[in-house]
């Protein structure tokens, strides 16, 4: 992926969170030309998420990043009364990480992103899942057969890359500490466009900055949980 001096184009599933934004910064640093792909599933935090993602891309200001592609994939028909659509029972800071599971998330996003890459003539598609993710569709064993199925379906040569699959949050935070992380977004219960400071993902974000001794630049709507 991205060999110099003729860097190939790489698709990147970008959510605007710390992990995928750090992966974007890392790919650009390694000479990739990146097509950032955002998939809007209509989840309650996505309006705020997309706002901050555009702000992050502006701050990154890299010639290696192509204009953001926004794809739509409404899930209200299958997710129905799931908390990610209703906002009822959003996992708070006391919830286990497994509580933030979004059914089929990576499979759904990858189908749409793979089609986008196929139409763009891109053979490499990356995503920023971590090795510590507890979810089955974030495990290394998922991506290879999934790529094979997509290639069979699309008559394509797509390769799916999860370069952070062996990494911890702390390791990728160290990798990305010089990026404009202030403009990344992690919250699943935002107030207007602000991080709520109370949900499972806000706590994870606060811990991520704390783990590497970096001051958390985020503006939260409530007091810092770790203060
Ligand atoms: Zn939050």
């Amino acid at each position: 992926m991205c060999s110099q001096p003729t860097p190939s184009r790489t698709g990147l599933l970008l959510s605007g969170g710390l992990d995928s934004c750090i992966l974007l910064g890392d790919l650009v640093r390694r000479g990739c030309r990146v097509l950032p792909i955002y998939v809007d599933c209509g989840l309650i935090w996505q309006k705020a998420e997309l706002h901050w993602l555009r702000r992050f891309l502006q701050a990154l200001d890299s010639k290696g990043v192509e204009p953001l592609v926004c794809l739509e994939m409404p899930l209200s028909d299958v997710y129905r009364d799931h908390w990610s659509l209703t906002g009822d029972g959003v996992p708070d800071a006391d919830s286990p990480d497994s509580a933030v599971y979004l059914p089929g998330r990576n499979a759904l996003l990858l189908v749409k992103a793979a089609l986008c890459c196929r139409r763009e003539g891109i053979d490499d598609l990356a995503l920023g899942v971590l090795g510590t993710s507890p979810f089955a569709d974030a495990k290394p064993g998922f991506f290879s057969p999934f790529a094979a199925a997509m290639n069979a379906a699309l008559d394509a040569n797509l390769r799916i890359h999860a370069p952070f699959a062996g990494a911890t949050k702390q390791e990728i935070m160290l990798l990305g500490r010089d990026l404009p992380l202030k403009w990344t977004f992690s919250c699943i219960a935002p107030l207007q466009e602000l991080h709520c400071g109370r949900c499972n993902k806000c706590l994870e974000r606060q811990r991520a900055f704390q783990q590497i001794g970096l001051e958390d630049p985020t503006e939260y709507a409530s007091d810092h949980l770790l203060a």
Side-chain angles (χ1 to χ4, degrees):
M1 193 165 55
C2 314
S3 58
Q4 298 279 14
T6 52
S8 56
R9 290 173 78 207
T10 299
L12 170 65
L13 264 172
L14 194 58
S15 71
L18 287 164
D19 306 341
S20 62
C21 284
I22 291 173
L23 180 54
L24 175 62
D26 190 50
L27 290 173
V28 169
R29 214 155 29 200
R30 289 195 276 128
C32 289
R33 183 165 181 80
V34 180
L35 178 72
I37 302 169
Y38 180 85
V39 183
D40 185 352
C41 298
L43 310 181
I44 50 172
W45 58 86
Q46 288 202 275
K47 192 172 170 215
E49 187 175 68
L50 188 54
H51 168 81
W52 292 113
L53 173 57
R54 291 190 193 283
R55 188 69 187 80
F56 175 81
L57 292 172
Q58 209 175 31
L60 189 65
D61 189 27
S62 171
K63 289 188 174 64
V65 182
E66 298 182 13
L68 180 67
V69 170
C70 290
L71 306 174
E72 293 186 2
M73 183 180 259
L75 292 177
S76 54
D77 46 4
V78 286
Y79 272 20
R80 295 188 293 184
D81 60 352
H82 193 266
W83 57 265
S84 61
L85 288 172
T86 64
D88 295 333
V90 173
D92 62 15
D94 295 326
S95 306
D97 288 348
S98 57
V100 299
Y101 177 62
L102 297 171
R105 175 172 175 79
N106 284 336
L108 289 164
L109 303 188
L110 281 168
V111 166
K112 200 116 189 193
L115 273 166
C116 177
C117 287
R118 180 72 172 115
R119 290 183 64 88
E120 288 281 337
I122 292 174
D123 288 336
D124 293 292
L125 173 60
L127 73 171
V129 297
L130 295 187
T132 49
S133 171
F135 309 130
D137 63 355
K139 303 285 184 197
F142 164 74
F143 296 114
S144 180
F146 190 87
M150 290 306 294
N151 286 330
L154 302 174
D155 189 23
N157 299 299
L158 185 72
R159 295 174 289 266
I160 296 176
H161 304 273
F164 290 167
T168 63
K169 194 80 168 185
Q170 188 174 16
E171 287 166 338
I172 67 113
M173 287 297 288
L174 287 170
L175 185 68
R177 60 178 303 150
D178 295 328
L179 294 169
L181 301 181
K182 176 178 182 177
W183 308 115
T184 60
F185 186 79
S186 312
C187 181
I188 50 177
L191 299 174
Q192 303 296 332
E193 283 159 352
L194 289 184
H195 284 82
C196 74
R198 286 281 172 266
C199 73
N200 175 289
K201 300 299 284 186
C202 278
L203 177 61
E204 181 186 273
R205 179 181 182 87
Q206 293 174 11
R207 281 192 179 131
F209 283 102
Q210 187 189 55
Q211 276 177 357
I212 63 162
L214 194 63
E215 188 179 346
D216 186 346
T218 314
E219 184 182 355
Y220 294 98
S222 56
D223 292 341
H224 202 289
L225 285 161
L226 303 177

